[in-house]
Amino acid sequence: FGVPVSMLTNAPDSASTADKSGFLRMVNRICFDEKDQNKNQKHGFRESENEREQNAHTVRKYCTTSTVSPDITHATECLITFASTRLLRSPICSPQLGFQDRKLDRACDMLYEICSAQGYKNMVKSVPHAVRDLHAVYVTLISLDGSPQTKRWRTHYLLLLWLGVLLLNPFDMNSIVDDGTTLVAGIVQCCTEALNEPGPSRQAAAFCISTTLTRQDVSIHFMVDLVHQISSLLADLGSLESQAPFAAMGAVQALAAIYKRGDRTLLQKLADRVFEAVRPCLLDAKYGTIRILKHFVIKLVARLGIAVLKPRNASWCYTRGKRTLMMDGFESCYEVSDADEETGQRASVGVEDERFKHIVESAVGVLLQATCDSETKIRWSAAKGIARIASRLPRGLADDIVKNILSIFTDPGSHHNDNAWHGSCLALAELGRLGILLPKRLPESLSALELALRYEVRHGSRSVGANVRDAACYVAWAFARAYPPCVLGLYLPALIEKILMTAVFDREVHVRRAAGAALQENIGRQGIQAFGSIGIKLTQTLSFSALGSCERAYIEMTPVIAKMGYWEAAFAKLLRELVGHWDTRIRILSAKSLYALVNIVNDRSLLQDIARRASLVLAPLASGSRDLAFRHGALLALAHVMRALRTFDDNYLSAQLSTVVPSLESSRLYRGRDGDLVRIAACSFIAALASCSCPLNAPTQLRLLGSLDDSSGHALETVRTAAATAVRVLSMSYFGVVAYTNGAFNEPDEALLSQTVFKYLDIVRKGTTASLARGSCNCLGALPAWLVVRDKSTLDVVFETLIVRAWRFNMVAGEKDAETRRGALVALKEIVTVIDSRHLIRKRALKLHASFVHNAARDFGLDKRGDVGSWCRICGLKAAVSLASVINPQCNLTSTSCKSRIVPCLLKRAARITADCGCVNFVLARPFLHVDSIFSWGARESQELCCALLRHLSEKLDTVRKVSLQLLPMLFQRAPAVPMRNEIEVRLFANGKSTELPSRLCTCLQLKGAYHSAILSGLIQSAGSRDSKMGSLFRHALVHHAMTEAKTQDNSDTSYLARSFVLKTRTLGSRVSKAPSVEERSRMHLPLLRCLTALIEAGALNPIFQTASRVHSDPNALGLDLVISLTLLASYQHSSDVKKICAAVDALLAYLSAAAVSAPVLAHRSLATLLQCLHSPYPRTRAYIAEQLYARLVELSMVRDCFVGMGPLSAAQELLCDINWGAEVNMKFFDDVIFRLCHILMIEKGHIQSQEAPPKVNHTECDELESYAYLVRVAGY
């Protein structure tokens, strides 16, 4: 059919390359690829059905993102041309019933997806309308197999749509076909049947029948029959079957399409009949429940009213004339004169026949009522219908319609009816677009527009009115296109200001963008003379993308428009309306926007005036409003305004503002729902007063401090954090000023210390509740340095108290509390940061270092929230690096090659030591400082901290790894004497190759010593995890590194990594080992066994089996140690956790396979251990061990030189298969079976010991939950 592929491939790009290529490839495959067509024909319809969803998704994705692309038009033409080649060309009298063409169906599927994405009105523009296709399309349509409800309904839909386009040809039907009447009757019959369908075919049938019945050569009796059908369907709608509503919808939809397209003279003849047919829908409320039917009825009524009126426009209507953007002729504005008004009143533009008057009156009444409907589509159709009918009415009647629309905005009863407001806004916009809203009605219309732009009604925890504001923006957009500057210029400044405030401050993104579009339209249509360069800047600032983010609009756009002359409008909008918004997010953003507005003001007198205005409005709301939204918003706004002032010295306003928080507390306004928000805002307000140095007397300062202390013990962490922040600012502003007397510091008095340091220490020590302990720790960390370091004893007490609370086994109110530990660590870090380094003597530094590195960095606590110990580990690592930085300020250099990063300059250190104690030779002889040095930090501390960071760098949690990766370079820069620093930097950070972090960490295992142990502990935890993708990456890197090391090492000596794994396994099975802790040991149990299994299966630990084969009599051999440790871990006496036992069994099975040839003695030992594990009292464990052992024996039967022969292996496999190991029977039965297995596999029975059943529990002394837990444990789950 002659459509080249280049037509598609050379079309310009409008969407992403991937979407476009997939779309075009699919079109080419359908239209041009013969191989694909032959394959589809060979495999049948099923393959096409499987690909349909994928093809539909590809087409839909491209068409929705590329609405104006020429590619879609070209593709439509190609597909419809291809479909035309697949049509039937047989005579009408002999159609091929049951016709099926899969190629046609695939093309129609693609066309339907394009149609659904682009709309059928755009689709029909690309459909060919050659007369020769009319016969073929009709014959193919009536030959389709089944009804439109079958899988081929898309083909049915496209053929109906195509047939409707072909019937738009103006040629007489008898000149196209032999019997035009029969063809029309057949088409009407097909369309009538499709009108009864619930699917999309109904829409295509309505389009097709409208183009058919509106032809000049088609008899009117077809339309009369359709009207009778509608009348009967609507009259009996409630008593018919379920198919009747769809039939009624289809008939009304078809008639509405006919009245849109048909000849007015012909349609007037049926106006009475049509109106009588749809009258039941207008009078009976039960028809309103069928929303789609009501929508089509409203469309039909509107078009019916238009059909009975004269088609010419009324002479009184307002017309804009030329619409150039530059608006050259301001003086040529149109005005309605008195003569025009009189002429308009006398003009005969009413109905041509008086019998149609009741139709017009009823239509107007129905449409006005429909503007208040709950369905948006109905309101939109009603608004357009009202405007079009009013454009053909006399001026007096049209003005009555306008007044009726405007009355909605002033009626108090309709204020809570958002549907009425939305429909009235749509109608107002349509009336303005069609010139019915005359300039004298502009003041009332703009007043209504202003109310609609601010319309919002709260319903519980949400609000309605976004659609009203969106429609109001559409009204403003329509007014800009309807009136010239000489008419709208008088009201333009106020209109622009209202639209601008909506574009910046509205809550909904679509409303902000609609207001931005209306603003651009008004500025562009009113010309340069009205706005100048400011208008261009406004349109550039308030772009579509800039208004997409609410935070960006409030915080970034507000100062920009304020500098353009809208500062006062924005300030008033925020102060009067938005600070009390129902949405918490809007209140917070409003406060931040106020800060941005006040911050751009530099005049001191203006700032004082702003403070007075804000205080007069917000202070009463903040202290006495019963509405939580106004109370919270006013506090936040006051806080941000005061913070933006920077300095404030008005004593009168200070006294007034200082009573806000006490008034809240005396009125008990913190209570109730969302009272925590008010507490946070109050803390922020107190911090703002302190930050701007508001003049407050000492009692008021202590009163505000007491309010913060009450909030610091709140149950919510956000409140405690806000209180601690406010305590920091308040104490720094009022209590942190250090005065000198005779060259010495003034110490704080006892009263102040009792209200701050001693009070918080007492609360932390007692630990009455977890919330109080957490808040007091935060407040201790927020105090200024001169309060904490009043004397040595005070600082020591603070450190000791916080270190005790940071201990990972510390109890608060009888339970472990991770938040208290984290708060204590953060407080220690803050204190270390603010105090002078001379206070951090070695004794204190070592205690802090031990708390951070040896305690916090090993906190592996768990609760129902997960790994809460990670919070303490992160805080401990940060605090340790901060401690190193404070103690060694001379190391904070930027040069990476300077030796002082590792060891401080000897001359400076010598001078420092000489000034302190005169010990110069000691430093020169020992440049690396150790424990016996007088300095606070040495090489051992640096190494321990570096080991902690490296371990957590290989942990499984992403947050811990990220923090460790950020802190490690800081440690190298700030801490002195880090051993092997260069080697670590080279392995981790050097070499620009894109190597993954797991591989780089595995190379650090070659460092040996403490670094090797620390890194290996972290790698085991990550590699043994099965929760994330990083676990598999770490596991692969560890196995690869172990294999590489095993190949490079000499077989006469075992590898260092293998010895480390054996040692860790031995430590894990030991009950007397003190390190690691019980929590850490339990955390590492499963990951270590999984890593061990992976390494043994990969062959990375083969050297230990080769060594053990020569020195198996040595009890210290690694292989023997490993099998002994695994035996202990797999026993019931060591652990009752089924997962841990199964993991140990997996390791033993891998051990069995690895030692089967090279170390038969160890293989016998592991096999004996596995048989002993079959004595487990848990059915689930026995079944798992038997299943895995059977699979492993099958593998061993295929291994040459195995330590067990083929016969015993086969006999053992048969015995394992014959027994139901998961059965709950007497253990003596399994003992006999296991002894038989020992005899078959030549294992001494002395190596097998029957494990006792779990001890019986006296159920009379246990409650129901304990007995159920015991049952679960016994069952092995």
Side-chain angles (χ1 to χ4, degrees):
F1 36 89
V3 180
V5 183
S6 59
M7 181 185 294
L8 297 176
T9 56
N10 293 332
D13 260 336
S14 301
S16 65
T17 305
D19 295 341
K20 177 180 178 180
S21 61
F23 173 74
L24 298 181
R25 193 184 309 112
M26 192 176 305
V27 174
N28 287 333
R29 188 170 65 246
I30 292 176
C31 299
F32 306 107
D33 194 351
E34 293 294 336
K35 294 182 180 179
D36 184 75
Q37 295 175 14
N38 296 333
K39 183 182 70 172
N40 187 40
Q41 185 176 5
K42 178 181 179 181
H43 292 283
F45 186 74
R46 181 174 299 176
E47 181 181 359
S48 179
E49 183 66 23
N50 294 335
E51 295 177 353
R52 175 173 295 170
E53 290 300 325
Q54 182 179 358
N55 296 345
H57 174 73
T58 303
V59 176
R60 198 180 303 116
K61 184 178 180 181
Y62 179 72
C63 293
T64 52
T65 57
S66 178
T67 54
V68 294
S69 174
D71 301 331
I72 301 176
T73 303
H74 297 322
T76 304
E77 294 175 357
C78 289
L79 289 169
I80 202 73
T81 307
F82 173 76
S84 64
T85 62
R86 313 301 302 178
L87 297 176
L88 286 176
R89 303 291 177 175
S90 58
I92 298 178
C93 58
S94 58
Q96 299 180 12
L97 298 179
F99 168 72
Q100 289 189 3
D101 192 329
R102 299 182 184 90
K103 300 177 184 179
L104 176 63
D105 293 338
R106 292 185 66 186
C108 289
D109 291 345
M110 289 277 291
L111 288 169
Y112 174 76
E113 295 300 335
I114 296 175
C115 183
S116 61
Q118 300 274 302
Y120 83 94
K121 294 182 181 179
N122 294 325
M123 175 73 179
V124 296
K125 298 177 182 178
S126 303
V127 175
H129 44 79
V131 177
R132 63 178 180 272
D133 294 331
L134 177 61
H135 173 270
V137 171
Y138 173 70
V139 172
T140 306
L141 180 64
I142 62 177
S143 301
L144 288 178
D145 183 20
S147 65
Q149 293 182 353
T150 61
K151 295 180 180 179
R152 308 184 66 194
W153 60 269
R154 296 178 181 85
T155 307
H156 194 271
Y157 175 90
L158 262 299
L159 291 177
L160 282 173
L161 209 61
W162 195 355
L163 188 60
V165 173
L166 292 173
L167 289 170
L168 292 174
N169 282 291
F171 306 108
D172 187 81
M173 191 65 67
N174 291 322
S175 64
I176 300 174
V177 295
D178 296 336
D179 191 357
T181 305
T182 305
L183 179 62
V184 170
I187 293 174
V188 171
Q189 179 65 27
C190 290
C191 293
T192 305
E193 294 176 357
L195 288 175
N196 300 333
E197 300 299 329
S201 299
R202 188 179 66 243
Q203 183 185 50
F207 171 76
C208 182
I209 200 172
S210 66
T211 58
T212 303
L213 299 185
T214 53
R215 291 178 59 88
Q216 296 292 332
D217 53 354
V218 175
S219 176
I220 195 176
H221 77 272
F222 291 110
M223 198 178 304
V224 174
D225 294 340
L226 183 61
V227 173
H228 287 316
Q229 180 184 359
I230 293 175
S231 179
S232 61
L233 287 172
L234 294 178
D236 301 332
L237 188 60
S239 59
L240 294 180
E241 63 277 4
S242 60
Q243 194 71 7
F246 298 108
M249 292 177 201
V252 176
Q253 184 178 6
L255 199 56
I258 290 171
Y259 266 81
K260 180 180 180 180
R261 188 179 302 277
D263 181 58
R264 178 174 170 270
T265 306
L266 178 63
L267 298 178
Q268 277 187 340
K269 298 178 182 180
L270 300 174
D272 285 329
R273 298 182 183 180
V274 174
F275 186 75
E276 292 299 327
V278 300
R279 183 186 290 273
C281 295
L282 307 178
L283 301 178
D284 197 342
K286 71 177 182 180
Y287 295 97
T289 58
I290 308 176
R291 313 307 302 169
I292 301 178
L293 177 61
K294 186 175 182 180
H295 181 215
F296 292 139
V297 168
I298 293 299
K299 281 178 173 281
L300 179 58
V301 169
R303 292 166 184 174
L304 192 63
I306 296 172
V308 299
L309 292 173
K310 291 183 179 180
R312 66 177 183 272
N313 292 330
S315 59
W316 57 269
C317 286
Y318 176 79
T319 55
R320 170 76 179 272
K322 294 183 179 180
R323 300 188 181 185
T324 59
L325 291 178
M326 296 304 296
M327 298 299 173
D328 296 324
F330 275 81
E331 70 282 351
S332 61
C333 297
Y334 178 85
E335 295 183 0
V336 181
S337 62
D338 296 338
D340 291 336
E341 294 179 5
E342 294 176 0
T343 304
Q345 288 280 23
R346 295 192 300 269
S348 177
V349 291
V351 296
E352 296 176 335
D353 195 338
E354 290 296 326
R355 61 191 177 92
F356 295 146
K357 184 180 295 185
H358 71 285
I359 297 179
V360 177
E361 294 175 354
S362 299
V364 171
V366 168
L367 295 176
L368 287 174
Q369 187 177 2
T371 56
C372 305
D373 195 85
S374 60
E375 194 74 19
T376 303
K377 294 190 297 184
I378 295 177
R379 295 195 298 271
W380 184 254
S381 298
K384 291 190 289 186
I386 285 176
R388 290 167 183 171
I389 291 177
S391 64
R392 300 188 180 188
L393 289 176
R395 179 174 178 179
L397 296 177
D399 194 61
D400 291 340
I401 293 177
V402 174
K403 287 191 291 185
N404 187 284
I405 295 296
L406 292 174
S407 65
I408 297 293
F409 301 99
T410 56
D411 184 12
S414 63
H415 179 71
H416 292 277
N417 189 355
D418 61 303
N419 295 326
W421 279 64
H422 181 251
S424 300
C425 286
L426 294 178
L428 201 62
E430 293 298 325
L431 291 171
R433 289 180 66 242
L434 295 181
I436 301 159
L437 191 65
L438 297 180
K440 74 173 186 176
R441 289 287 182 187
L442 269 180
E444 301 176 54
S445 303
L446 292 175
S447 300
L449 175 60
E450 179 181 353
L451 295 175
L453 286 173
R454 293 188 286 109
Y455 182 84
E456 189 170 25
V457 179
R458 185 175 178 181
H459 288 177
S461 60
R462 63 182 183 89
S463 71
V464 296
N467 57 342
V468 177
R469 300 193 300 275
D470 186 89
C473 296
Y474 174 57
V475 174
W477 179 88
F479 282 0
R481 301 174 67 88
Y483 303 102
C486 61
V487 175
L488 199 60
L490 183 63
Y491 317 99
L492 192 61
L495 177 62
I496 290 296
E497 182 178 301
K498 301 301 178 184
I499 299 174
L500 183 60
M501 296 301 106
T502 303
V504 177
F505 297 124
D506 198 89
R507 179 176 178 266
E508 307 297 335
V509 59
H510 63 90
V511 179
R512 292 196 302 272
R513 285 173 168 170
L519 181 69
Q520 293 178 7
E521 193 71 21
N522 276 274
I523 291 176
R525 294 282 175 179
Q526 303 314 310
I528 300 298
Q529 293 85 346
F531 286 96
S533 60
I534 294 180
I536 298 176
K537 291 180 180 179
L538 275 176
T539 56
Q540 292 175 346
T541 302
L542 303 178
S543 61
F544 181 86
S545 59
L547 297 177
S549 172
C550 191
E551 288 77 7
R552 183 179 178 186
Y554 269 81
I555 299 173
E556 297 181 13
M557 298 294 106
T558 302
V560 175
I561 65 171
K563 293 177 182 179
M564 297 182 186
Y566 294 96
W567 190 97
E568 185 63 34
F571 186 78
K573 176 78 173 178
L574 293 168
L575 199 64
R576 300 288 180 180
E577 298 180 20
L578 295 178
V579 294
H581 198 273
W582 64 271
D583 191 356
T584 305
R585 183 173 66 105
I586 298 300
R587 295 198 297 269
I588 296 173
L589 290 176
S590 300
K592 293 180 180 179
S593 185
L594 277 173
Y595 174 83
L597 278 178
V598 179
N599 198 38
I600 64 175
V601 179
N602 297 321
D603 192 347
R604 185 173 179 81
S605 60
L606 288 178
L607 288 174
Q608 296 296 329
D609 182 63
I610 291 170
R612 295 189 189 94
R613 290 176 58 186
S615 301
L616 290 175
V617 175
L618 299 176
L621 294 175
S623 59
S625 177
R626 293 292 173 180
D627 190 346
L628 182 137
F630 281 96
R631 192 163 65 247
H632 175 249
L635 278 171
L636 278 179
L638 266 178
H640 283 77
V641 170
M642 298 303 294
R643 189 177 292 112
L645 293 178
R646 294 180 289 276
T647 57
F648 186 71
D649 54 1
D650 193 326
N651 294 325
Y652 174 75
L653 286 180
S654 300
Q656 182 182 4
L657 294 175
S658 63
T659 61
V660 171
V661 176
S663 299
L664 281 172
E665 295 178 351
S666 61
S667 302
R668 298 182 177 181
L669 294 179
Y670 285 153
R671 299 184 177 182
R673 185 180 179 183
D674 291 335
D676 55 300
L677 296 177
V678 182
R679 281 189 178 272
I680 295 173
C683 295
S684 178
F685 174 65
I686 295 174
L689 288 180
S691 65
C692 67
S693 302
C694 185
L696 301 175
N697 53 30
T700 304
Q701 297 172 10
L702 294 177
R703 178 69 178 83
L704 296 178
L705 180 62
S707 300
L708 296 177
D709 291 342
D710 293 339
S711 297
S712 65
H714 198 270
L716 292 181
E717 184 179 357
T718 53
V719 180
R720 295 195 301 269
T721 304
T725 304
V727 167
R728 181 189 303 277
V729 180
L730 183 69
S731 58
M732 290 292 182
S733 299
Y734 297 119
F735 309 144
V737 180
V738 180
Y740 288 91
T741 303
N742 298 326
F745 292 110
N746 287 335
E747 295 184 356
D749 55 3
E750 292 293 336
L752 181 58
L753 288 176
S754 64
Q755 292 292 326
T756 54
V757 180
F758 297 154
K759 179 180 178 180
Y760 299 143
L761 285 175
D762 186 58
I763 296 175
V764 173
R765 283 198 201 97
K766 292 180 179 179
T768 308
T769 62
S771 300
L772 289 174
R774 300 167 190 170
S776 298
C777 288
N778 295 338
C779 293
L780 274 176
L783 292 177
W786 81 301
L787 290 177
V788 179
V789 296
R790 179 204 180 193
D791 51 34
K792 295 181 179 180
S793 61
T794 303
L795 182 59
D796 288 335
V797 171
V798 171
F799 278 158
E800 290 293 340
T801 305
L802 291 176
I803 288 173
V804 169
R805 282 302 177 198
W807 186 44
R808 61 181 184 271
F809 302 113
N810 185 260
M811 309 289 284
V812 179
E815 296 181 354
K816 292 183 180 180
D817 187 61
E819 284 89 345
T820 301
R821 301 198 300 271
R822 179 181 60 181
L825 289 168
V826 172
L828 286 172
K829 175 180 176 295
E830 295 296 334
I831 294 174
V832 167
T833 305
V834 298
I835 66 175
D836 193 78
S837 59
R838 61 187 176 88
H839 297 289
L840 296 173
I841 60 177
R842 181 163 181 78
K843 180 180 178 181
R844 292 172 183 163
L846 288 179
K847 289 183 179 180
L848 292 171
H849 174 76
S851 177
F852 296 152
V853 177
H854 300 300
N855 172 59
R858 295 180 179 177
D859 191 340
F860 299 102
L862 299 173
D863 63 7
K864 61 183 179 181
R865 294 169 294 181
D867 188 3
V868 294
S870 62
W871 307 340
C872 301
R873 297 199 298 273
I874 291 174
C875 293
L877 294 175
K878 290 181 178 179
V881 175
S882 299
L883 177 63
S885 177
V886 172
I887 292 178
N888 305 282
Q890 68 275 13
C891 297
N892 297 334
L893 303 176
T894 57
S895 176
T896 57
S897 60
C898 184
K899 289 185 178 181
S900 58
R901 290 184 53 193
I902 306 175
V903 181
C905 180
L906 296 183
L907 296 177
K908 293 182 179 179
R909 289 166 55 193
R912 176 178 177 182
I913 296 175
T914 302
D916 292 341
C917 61
C919 301
V920 181
N921 296 330
F922 175 77
V923 175
L924 296 177
R926 304 184 63 182
F928 286 90
L929 305 179
H930 291 281
V931 179
D932 53 354
S933 171
I934 65 170
F935 281 93
S936 303
W937 194 271
R940 188 182 68 180
E941 288 77 21
S942 297
Q943 184 181 22
E944 290 173 350
L945 179 53
C946 186
C947 287
L949 289 173
L950 289 174
R951 174 177 181 175
H952 290 87
L953 187 59
S954 55
E955 275 280 0
K956 67 175 182 178
L957 294 180
D958 295 339
T959 53
V960 179
R961 286 201 307 271
K962 181 179 179 182
V963 171
S964 302
L965 191 60
Q966 293 173 350
L967 293 177
L968 197 58
M970 298 170 60
L971 174 68
F972 291 153
Q973 179 181 353
R974 299 176 181 180
V978 180
M980 300 184 182
R981 179 186 65 87
N982 291 331
E983 290 84 349
I984 298 174
E985 284 186 332
V986 168
R987 284 173 169 81
L988 285 180
F989 306 114
N991 301 328
K993 299 179 181 179
S994 58
T995 308
E996 295 288 344
L997 176 63
S999 301
R1000 291 178 177 264
L1001 281 171
C1002 288
T1003 59
C1004 294
L1005 290 173
Q1006 300 172 357
L1007 299 176
K1008 309 295 177 61
Y1011 290 133
H1012 177 90
S1013 178
I1015 297 173
L1016 184 60
S1017 298
L1019 286 173
I1020 288 173
Q1021 191 62 41
S1022 299
S1025 174
R1026 297 179 179 177
D1027 301 334
S1028 62
K1029 182 181 178 181
M1030 288 300 296
S1032 61
L1033 294 178
F1034 274 101
R1035 185 163 52 253
H1036 175 74
L1038 181 60
V1039 171
H1040 178 72
H1041 173 75
M1043 292 292 295
T1044 304
E1045 185 179 357
K1047 292 177 182 179
T1048 56
Q1049 293 287 340
D1050 187 5
N1051 290 334
S1052 61
D1053 186 17
T1054 56
S1055 66
Y1056 192 85
L1057 181 64
R1059 292 199 303 270
S1060 300
F1061 264 97
V1062 174
L1063 179 61
K1064 287 186 177 294
T1065 308
R1066 182 195 304 171
T1067 305
L1068 191 64
S1070 175
R1071 292 182 178 271
V1072 298
S1073 178
K1074 296 182 179 180
S1077 63
V1078 177
E1079 291 181 349
E1080 187 174 357
R1081 195 183 310 171
S1082 175
R1083 184 173 182 261
M1084 192 178 290
H1085 196 124
L1086 281 175
L1088 177 60
L1089 292 176
R1090 290 169 182 167
C1091 289
L1092 191 61
T1093 304
L1095 290 174
I1096 295 175
E1097 289 180 346
L1101 301 184
N1102 285 342
I1104 66 173
F1105 305 118
Q1106 298 171 2
T1107 303
S1109 64
R1110 296 191 300 270
V1111 292
H1112 59 83
S1113 59
D1114 185 5
N1116 296 322
L1118 291 179
L1120 188 59
D1121 287 347
L1122 182 58
V1123 74
I1124 292 174
S1125 300
L1126 291 176
T1127 301
L1128 180 61
L1129 293 176
S1131 64
Y1132 165 77
Q1133 287 83 0
H1134 184 271
S1135 174
S1136 59
D1137 191 342
V1138 175
K1139 290 184 178 179
K1140 294 180 179 179
I1141 296 175
C1142 293
V1145 168
D1146 290 337
L1148 283 169
L1149 290 168
Y1151 191 98
L1152 175 63
S1153 297
V1157 177
S1158 60
V1161 176
L1162 297 180
H1164 271 93
R1165 184 63 180 266
S1166 62
L1167 184 57
T1169 302
L1170 289 170
L1171 295 180
Q1172 183 177 348
C1173 292
L1174 285 174
H1175 280 285
S1176 174
Y1178 300 138
R1180 177 183 171 187
T1181 306
R1182 291 196 305 269
Y1184 178 81
I1185 296 173
E1187 180 183 354
Q1188 298 299 321
L1189 181 59
Y1190 174 81
R1192 195 67 62 167
L1193 292 180
V1194 173
E1195 294 179 3
L1196 291 177
S1197 62
M1198 295 180 287
V1199 176
R1200 296 180 59 185
D1201 301 331
C1202 182
F1203 72 102
V1204 182
M1206 289 292 297
L1209 288 176
S1210 301
Q1213 295 171 23
E1214 293 179 2
L1215 186 56
L1216 286 171
C1217 288
D1218 293 339
I1219 303 301
N1220 182 12
W1221 296 95
E1224 297 184 5
V1225 296
N1226 193 348
M1227 289 299 297
K1228 293 183 179 179
F1229 171 76
F1230 292 113
D1231 292 343
D1232 297 338
V1233 177
I1234 294 172
F1235 289 147
R1236 290 169 58 189
L1237 285 173
C1238 292
H1239 178 71
I1240 294 173
L1241 297 174
M1242 295 175 291
I1243 296 176
E1244 297 180 3
K1245 296 183 180 179
H1247 294 164
I1248 307 299
Q1249 296 178 0
S1250 177
Q1251 300 187 26
E1252 298 179 358
K1256 296 184 178 179
V1257 180
N1258 187 4
H1259 295 284
T1260 58
E1261 299 179 358
C1262 300
D1263 58 9
E1264 180 182 356
L1265 293 178
E1266 291 180 353
S1267 62
Y1268 179 74
Y1270 168 76
L1271 177 63
V1272 172
R1273 289 197 302 271
V1274 172
Y1277 293 100

